[in-house]
Every structure is written in C-alpha cells, then in structure tokens.
Amino acid sequence: MSDKNDITIPVHAIRRLQCSENVVVLTGAGISAESGIPTFRDAMTGLWENYRAEELATPEAFLRDRNMVWGWYEQRRREVMTKQPNIGHSALATLGKYINEVTVITQNVDDLHERAGSNRILHLHGNLFTPRCFDCDQLWNGMIDYQAAQSSNKELSPPICPHCHGFVRPGVVWFGEFLPEDIWRKAERAVKNCDLIIIVGTSGLVYPAAGLVAMANQDEKYIIQINPRETDHDKFADCVLRGSAGTILPKLISAAWA
Ligand code: BV8
Ligand code: ZN
C-alpha cells in the first residue's frame, strides 16, 4: 500500500468540493475497518469461520439455524459497542461545517457515523440496534441477555416477541430482502439532487446500493472514489484516491478548507 503521505489530491477535486452545495457520501464496511470492525468480506471468525457472510445474512439461514445467525449478529453488535468511530468518520462529520447539505448513505449496520456526529444518515441495510420480530415485524426493545451474550462464541437463542411469540431477528436487511422503501427513495433523491458524491470503503458488489454510483454517473455528478483497492466503481470516478478512509478523508477536507 502506498505511503500515507504521498497521496496528492488533484486540484479539480478540491475545487469541485469547495464549490459544492450538496454532497452525498456513500459508505461501506471499509470506513469502519480502521475502527477495528472487520469488513463484510474479511475472513469470518470463530463459530462462523466456515461460512460466507452472504450465506448467513439471509432469512433462509435464520429459519434454518436461528441460534447460529442470532449469535453471529449478537457477536457483531457487542463488537461494535466496544469500538469507536475513527478519523474517517469524524472527517465526514465535519463536512457539514463547510457544505450546506451532506447526506451519508451507508450500507453499514454499525452506529459509528451517528457517534461521530454525522446527522443526515440513511442506513440502506438497517442496523444492529433495532431488532424486530421475524413474524409480526414489531420492534423489540427488550433487554438482551448480556450474560449469555458474554459467553462469546456460543450460539444464542433469539428472544421471543411479546406480541405474537415469534422469534426476534436482527434489524438488518438480508440478501433477498427489499430495502426499506422510504430510505431507498430518499437515497435516490439525495443522489439526484447532489453536486458531488464521495464513495468510501465499499467493494461495490451489493445491489441496489452499488447502483447509486452508476445513477450518479448518468446524471454527470462529480464522483470521488476512496478505496485502497480497485473496485467496479473506479470506472465512474472523476477522481480515484487510492488509500484508506482514515488517511484520505482528513487530507481531502484540509486540502479544501485548511
Ligand atoms: C434486493 C446487512 C430486491 C446484513 C447487507 C438473488 C436473489 C435476491 C437478490 C439478489 C440475488 N442475486 C443478487 C441479488 C441482489 C443482492 C446482491 O446484491 N447480492 C450480491 C452479493 C451480488 N442484493 C439483495 O439481495 C438486496 N435486496 O436486491 O432486493 C430483491 C428482493 C427479492 C428478490 C430479488 C430482488 C439486499 C442487499 C442487502 C444485504 N445486506 N448487510 C449484514 O450486515 O449482515 S449487505 C453487506 O454488504 C453489508 O451491508 C456491507 O456493507 C455490504 C456491502 O459490502 P461493503 O460495504 O462494500 O463491504 P466489503 O467488505 O464488500 O468491501 C469493503 C471495501 O472496503 C473493500 O473495497 C475494501 O477495499 C475497502 N476497505 C478496506 N479497508 C478500508 C477500505 N476502504 C477505505 N478505508 C479502509 N481502511
Ligand atoms: Zn411478533
């Protein structure tokens, strides 16, 4: 990976950012990597090491083995609670000081953008903190049995819904499930109305989220891609910044408004 300090931000990217009124930031698991949260496609650990994330993040997996799936999400939720937003999340949160309207569209299910201080956030794939009933969809706000959860890698049986006695499921969008209609509409509108979109830390493999970038390209938005590795989104980008979120984002902001 190139040295942290030798990345220069092209002047055209700085100028475009400086004169933008309305910016969208599309984030993926990569922006939380420097907080110590494994990206979605990083090796799966512990009880789940023999599975691919795509295999567990489905309603079918929950119906097949709810204890294993609920245990995986509990493990991830507890892990997020022990982590902090990193300098990349904080840099995005300061964007609002210089730009009239900043919308963070995230595929992540953690709450690090919220804790960093971003305030207009659209969670396309839900989050780890709003479990709901698998059968009646009611939000579940009971107390998770932390003692059981502390036993780390054990399978955990999900709580029971007090309304219909169904099983509680994680409040995320699984593969094969539709994204929340209102959130998706807001995300599409945010991209339509923006001057510039910054893509940070996503492999661009998951749809319809990844499709927002092609949409931005069709509408001739200025696109900045931030990722240490090449992705399908590179071909749409006006500016590719090859590096990590924690290095590039603070650099980009200080280059525009030092
Ligand atoms: C849908 C929540 C309509 C759960 C997630 C068959 C049937 C049905 C649908 C499909 C199908 N085949 C394909 C589909 C569409 C499917 C899909 O896209 N599949 C993919 C695998 C091909 N999509 C869906 O199913 C969606 N719904 O289509 O509904 C429908 C409905 C019914 C029938 C037909 C159609 C729902 C998708 C939502 C799935 N849920 N998450 C959970 O988290 O457990 S997606 C999951 O992937 C996460 O949200 C994650 O964020 C997301 C995307 O991954 P990334 O964020 O990009 O993370 P990844 O690890 O891949 O990459 C990390 C990147 O960061 C890398 O590029 C790396 O280089 C970079 N990086 C690393 N370190 C850093 C960094 N960058 C910056 N700084 C660093 N330090
Ligand atoms: Zn219920």
Side-chain angles (χ1 to χ4, degrees):
M1 193 129 98
S2 56
D3 171 63
K4 281 196 167 198
N5 301 316
D6 68 3
I7 296 167
T8 45
I9 316 273
V11 174
H12 55 86
I14 296 170
R15 292 284 171 270
R16 290 299 291 258
L17 192 56
Q18 284 169 331
C19 56
S20 293
E21 285 289 309
N22 185 326
V23 166
V24 159
V25 190
L26 174 67
T27 67
I31 195 166
S32 296
E34 288 157 279
S35 294
I37 296 177
T39 65
F40 203 67
R41 278 159 195 83
D42 275 356
M44 302 275 282
T45 57
L47 197 61
W48 303 279
E49 60 187 1
N50 304 324
Y51 296 89
R52 283 182 330 108
E54 284 85 349
E55 291 165 321
L56 289 191
T58 66
E60 294 75 18
F62 186 76
L63 289 169
R64 197 174 48 244
D65 190 341
R66 58 178 176 266
N67 293 359
M68 195 249 303
V69 172
W70 177 258
W72 181 47
Y73 281 91
E74 270 307 285
Q75 148 106 356
R76 290 171 63 191
R77 187 176 64 85
R78 275 184 292 114
E79 190 168 46
V80 167
M81 287 169 73
T82 65
K83 308 294 184 200
Q84 295 307 321
N86 63 61
I87 188 169
H89 295 104
S90 314
L92 285 187
T94 61
L95 256 185
K97 274 197 244 165
Y98 310 107
I99 303 231
N100 189 25
E101 207 166 302
V102 179
T103 305
V104 176
I105 300 176
T106 188
Q107 301 169 85
N108 299 341
V109 294
D110 63 50
D111 62 346
L112 297 187
H113 283 304
E114 287 81 354
R115 284 197 267 151
S118 289
N119 43 33
R120 187 195 297 258
I121 304 166
L122 298 173
H123 278 273
L124 296 181
H125 298 156
N127 67 70
L128 291 168
F129 301 92
T130 52
R132 60 181 196 269
C133 175
F134 189 89
D135 295 332
C136 73
D137 227 26
Q138 289 265 349
L139 272 183
W140 185 77
N141 45 27
M143 278 307 285
I144 304 271
D145 176 352
Y146 286 94
Q147 269 55 47
Q150 289 312 329
S151 56
S152 75
N153 272 351
K154 283 226 173 26
E155 297 189 352
L156 281 181
S157 52
I160 302 295
C161 167
H163 307 281
C164 75
H165 305 297
F167 288 105
V168 172
R169 53 159 290 172
V172 300
V173 178
W174 277 327
F175 289 100
E177 292 186 321
F178 287 98
L179 277 58
E181 177 72 21
D182 58 333
I183 300 280
W184 179 247
R185 291 273 162 263
K186 282 182 189 158
E188 283 184 315
R189 210 166 36 244
V191 171
K192 283 268 174 236
N193 297 338
C194 78
D195 311 306
L196 178 147
I197 178 168
I198 305 173
I199 315 162
V200 192
T202 179
S203 58
L205 295 174
V206 173
Y207 284 82
L212 290 171
V213 177
M215 202 176 105
N217 176 256
Q218 264 149 22
D219 286 359
E220 297 183 345
K221 308 295 182 185
Y222 189 86
I223 300 175
I224 298 174
Q225 154 88 311
I226 299 173
N227 197 314
R229 290 198 287 266
E230 192 179 342
T231 80
D232 280 354
H233 288 150
D234 283 32
K235 61 180 176 293
F236 295 126
D238 299 279
C239 167
V240 175
L241 300 171
R242 190 64 73 221
S244 71
T247 303
I248 304 269
L249 281 169
K251 237 175 144 64
L252 183 62
I253 305 230
S254 56
W257 295 287

